[in-house]
């Protein structure tokens, strides 16, 4: 079962450190999650960043840049 963005934001507002998949959330959703994480002094790691446009990543970063990690790792099997 997928967790809704609203539930992720609720967790983020509690100061939780989160890992979110960029492929499953819109840029607007990631910006909102980053804002909730930053206000509560948590940390957000966004995986699969290579799936987003660079300009979108810049938009996300402007919210709370010190509270976000972008993961561009590509696992090859």
């Amino acid at each position: 079962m997928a967790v809704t963005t609203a539930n992720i934001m609720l967790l983020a507002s509690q100061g939780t450190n989160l890992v979110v998949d960029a492929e499953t959330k819109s840029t607007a959703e990631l910006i909102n999650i980053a804002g909730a994480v930053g206000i509560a002094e948590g940390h957000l790691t966004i995986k699969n960043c290579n799936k987003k446009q660079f300009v979108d990543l810049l938009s996300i970063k402007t919210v709370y840049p010190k509270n976000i990690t972008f993961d561009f790792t590509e696992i090859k099997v």
Side-chain angles (χ1 to χ4, degrees):
M1 180 172 124
V3 179
T4 66
T5 300
N7 286 339
I8 292 172
M9 289 181 61
L10 180 60
L11 288 170
S13 70
Q14 304 300 309
T16 306
N17 296 330
L18 299 170
V19 178
V20 177
D21 187 347
E23 195 169 16
T24 64
K25 298 294 178 195
S26 71
T27 299
E29 288 173 315
L30 291 170
I31 288 170
N32 289 332
I33 294 167
V37 165
I39 289 170
E41 298 182 9
H43 189 86
L44 174 63
T45 298
I46 303 173
K47 296 190 136 320
N48 289 319
C49 288
N50 52 330
K51 303 293 183 182
K52 291 284 182 201
Q53 296 291 320
F54 186 72
V55 69
D56 292 334
L57 298 176
L58 288 174
S59 296
I60 297 164
K61 176 214 64 89
T62 60
V63 181
Y64 279 94
K66 293 183 180 181
N67 299 73
I68 301 171
T69 300
F70 293 116
D71 185 345
F72 295 92
T73 305
E74 291 187 33
I75 299 173
K76 299 184 183 199
V77 181

